[in-house]
Amino acid sequence: MDGIYFIGAGGIGMSALIRYFLAKGFKVAGYDRTPSALTDKLIAEGADIHYVDDVALIPEGMKRGTEILVVYTPAVPEDHSELQYFRQNGYKVLKRSQLLGLITENARGICVAGTHGKTTTSSMIAHLLKQSKIDCNAFLGGILKNYDSNLMLSDSSDLTVIEADEYDRSFHYLKPFMAVITSADPDHLDIYGTPEAYRQAFEKFISLIKPGGTLIIKKEIAALLRCERTDIQTFNYSMTDETADFHAKNIRVGNGEIFFDFVIKNPVGITVPDVQLGVPVRINIENGVAAMAAAYLNGVTPDEMKQAMKTFRGAERRFDFQIKTDRIVYIDDYAHHPQELANSIRSVKELYPNRKLTGIFQPHLYTRTRDFADEFAKTLSQLDRLILLDIYPAREEPIEGVTSEMLLEKATIKDKTLCSKEELIALLEKEDLDVLMTLGAGDIDRFVSPIRNMLIDKYKL
């Protein structure tokens, strides 16, 4: 193989693969719709990326006469001219998930799946293993701040942490040595059709665990998913349920910090006391219990776990503290599903119980907004102030009647407003802000630096 061409190169999952092949010495090129800080980094690392869908811009070395693999994401439309060119000219074309499955087929894959929590949990597992004597490789769905990358490579370990994406049934290309399931709240109903079909996709994922492997599943959802495997070990975990195999107890929250004791009830019956969360929000207790369970079952010691959990800085856009002062707190979070939003808002309110929480939310996809409109409205009404941006369409065409205005009307919160992206910074400059969150999975991340810089200037930080 002489090179790899990526269509949708700026996606977080694609970028990890690009970095993998660059590290292996391959020529890498590709296309993405818009430049970003991530594509800038990939170019600096050696990838040749352009931003116009034009066959003429494909490097000559990637055209006929060479053995080239072409990789694309499901978000790329079928009429994309470059994708059509490669297909019509006999190139080998794979989905991103297919390639990831091939790369990790012979590894001991620790595959983390779930509607939410999978990026943080997989990142925690990778950090726990990396900071121990065990070590690992990792393909992550977020930039881990400890390493400034979503890819980790090891010369000594075949353990490979993989964020297992359920969109478009991508995780069905994986063959886990160990699977972790953090949640199974229905999502992507444009793909699956019904909540039952969505959950069945997770049951299929469980069936792919290699014989002799391990399943770690959140206890509260284990009853929802049918698992008839007798050739694997199964463990459950919970944040507070003391009957779970792995759980937390003696949770202490205060002064912007969280401590808890990690209980390994099964298989050994020991407690790891005084675990400190490096990113101190309540939902990370649950994520941390799952991550430490996976790490422990792969040989990480209690002392190694405690040190790694304390030093874990999180993944970008997952409870990502941009400013943390007595005067102003600003957190950026990827939450885009109603349950994710509920977890995020609840966690921040617990951390800052007597402060006003303003949330800027950008809905992601017309179908998701339509399917969960009531849930979104109920959750967003838990904020003290709501600033709602227009729906980010991603791969979708508009749906009549599905708008941010519709969502705003359903929200019962009194202090609410619609705002265009163009007017957002000007609006925030006039606001008396206390605790601020940006929330969503669209292009709201492009406003994080401008908002942070504005707040630093406004409050003379």
Side-chain angles (χ1 to χ4, degrees):
M1 187 166 63
D2 295 325
I4 306 95
Y5 193 83
F6 290 86
I7 303 176
I12 193 67
M14 291 282 267
S15 63
L17 290 172
I18 289 173
R19 284 175 160 150
Y20 172 83
F21 283 104
L22 287 172
K24 298 296 182 182
F26 286 89
K27 293 179 181 178
V28 176
Y31 156 89
D32 199 76
R33 185 171 60 179
T34 55
S36 65
L38 183 52
T39 56
D40 289 345
K41 287 182 179 179
L42 295 175
I43 291 170
E45 292 168 21
D48 182 352
I49 299 172
H50 62 267
Y51 306 102
V52 177
D53 177 15
D54 185 349
V55 172
L57 296 177
I58 300 172
E60 285 302 316
M62 295 284 170
K63 290 186 176 180
R64 296 304 297 172
T66 57
E67 187 181 345
I68 300 298
L69 174 65
V70 179
V71 187
Y72 72 102
T73 70
V76 174
E78 286 298 315
D79 62 355
H80 191 278
S81 66
E82 294 185 17
L83 181 59
Q84 286 187 331
Y85 168 83
F86 286 116
R87 281 182 168 159
Q88 291 168 1
N89 286 278
Y91 286 79
K92 186 174 183 179
V93 179
L94 296 177
K95 286 184 178 181
R96 176 191 66 85
S97 53
Q98 290 175 293
L99 180 59
L100 182 59
L102 289 172
I103 292 173
T104 59
E105 185 172 12
N106 295 318
R108 288 187 294 155
I110 304 174
C111 302
V112 183
T115 315
H116 31 262
K118 57 183 175 287
T119 298
T120 298
T121 303
S122 58
S123 297
M124 282 181 170
I125 294 171
H127 182 62
L128 285 160
L129 292 169
K130 205 71 178 172
Q131 296 300 309
S132 76
K133 62 181 180 298
I134 305 299
D135 204 1
C136 71
N137 306 276
F139 293 85
L140 304 173
I143 304 299
L144 190 46
K145 296 170 78 174
N146 293 76
Y147 308 91
D148 192 30
S149 184
N150 52 350
L151 174 72
M152 298 181 188
L153 296 176
S154 170
D155 294 327
S156 59
S157 176
D158 69 334
L159 282 173
T160 302
V161 182
I162 303 161
E163 180 170 334
D165 186 6
E166 78 278 8
Y167 174 69
D168 197 35
R169 298 178 173 84
S170 293
F171 60 170
H172 291 170
Y173 291 104
L174 301 173
K175 296 178 181 177
F177 154 74
M178 174 178 284
V180 181
I181 299 179
T182 63
S183 50
D185 300 302
D187 196 9
H188 304 300
L189 298 185
D190 56 320
I191 299 294
Y192 290 99
T194 66
E196 182 182 13
Y198 183 78
R199 294 190 184 100
Q200 286 172 350
F202 281 86
E203 293 171 356
K204 170 69 173 177
F205 174 67
I206 292 172
S207 77
L208 299 173
I209 299 172
K210 295 177 180 179
T214 302
L215 170 65
I216 302 171
I217 186 168
K218 183 179 174 181
K219 185 169 185 181
E220 290 83 347
I221 65 169
L224 300 176
L225 302 180
R226 184 174 63 254
C227 176
E228 300 174 349
R229 298 285 301 270
T230 58
D231 59 342
I232 62 173
Q233 294 185 91
T234 299
F235 299 95
N236 57 50
Y237 74 93
S238 173
M239 183 164 69
T240 56
D241 187 340
E242 294 187 358
T243 66
D245 297 321
F246 299 91
H247 61 269
K249 71 174 185 179
N250 193 23
I251 297 170
R252 290 95 74 197
V253 181
N255 298 319
E257 301 294 345
I258 295 179
F259 291 83
F260 65 93
D261 299 341
F262 174 57
V263 180
I264 307 170
K265 185 176 181 179
N266 177 36
V268 289
I270 63 172
T271 297
V272 182
D274 301 320
V275 176
Q276 181 178 3
L277 285 179
V279 182
V281 288
R282 175 170 280 270
I283 191 59
N284 277 350
I285 301 173
E286 183 173 286
N287 295 330
V289 169
M292 286 188 288
Y296 177 80
L297 292 173
N298 281 289
V300 179
T301 68
D303 286 344
E304 289 173 333
M305 284 192 286
K306 285 183 67 172
Q307 180 61 25
M309 290 298 293
K310 181 179 181 179
T311 60
F312 179 71
R313 293 177 56 205
E316 290 183 4
R317 303 226 60 226
R318 271 69 176 182
F319 267 103
D320 195 351
F321 281 87
Q322 300 292 317
I323 299 175
K324 191 177 182 181
T325 69
D326 292 337
R327 176 60 188 87
I328 179 74
V329 174
Y330 172 34
I331 303 166
D332 178 46
D333 194 54
Y334 189 72
H336 57 284
H337 181 280
Q339 189 58 51
E340 288 175 337
L341 288 169
N343 291 337
S344 297
I345 293 168
R346 186 185 308 115
S347 293
V348 173
K349 279 186 165 289
E350 181 179 49
L351 205 58
Y352 302 103
N354 300 312
R355 300 180 69 170
K356 178 182 177 181
L357 176 58
T358 298
I360 306 167
F361 178 56
Q362 182 188 47
H364 184 258
L365 300 178
Y366 293 104
T367 52
R368 182 183 285 121
T369 305
R370 176 199 63 197
D371 294 339
F372 302 106
D374 291 340
E375 292 89 338
F376 275 123
K378 181 179 179 181
T379 298
L380 293 170
S381 295
Q382 302 307 307
L383 294 163
D384 298 308
R385 171 152 171 72
L386 168 63
I387 299 172
L388 197 58
L389 303 180
D390 287 334
I391 297 172
Y392 183 77
R395 58 191 176 270
E396 294 184 339
E397 295 297 324
I399 298 174
E400 185 175 355
V402 180
T403 63
S404 288
E405 287 88 343
M406 173 267 291
L407 207 55
L408 195 76
E409 289 177 7
K410 286 178 174 287
T412 58
I413 181 175
K414 292 182 179 180
D415 194 357
K416 58 184 178 181
T417 188
L418 288 173
C419 182
S420 69
K421 290 188 289 187
E422 293 75 16
E423 297 172 338
L424 179 59
I425 299 298
L427 174 65
L428 293 177
E429 286 177 336
K430 300 173 185 176
E431 301 266 328
D432 182 19
L433 299 166
D434 189 3
V435 178
L436 176 68
M437 295 187 77
T438 40
L439 299 153
D443 62 356
I444 193 171
D445 62 313
R446 299 178 185 275
F447 290 88
V448 173
S449 291
I451 290 172
R452 182 181 62 243
N453 293 337
M454 180 275 292
L455 293 174
I456 289 172
D457 182 60
K458 178 178 180 177
Y459 296 108
K460 298 179 171 56
L461 301 178

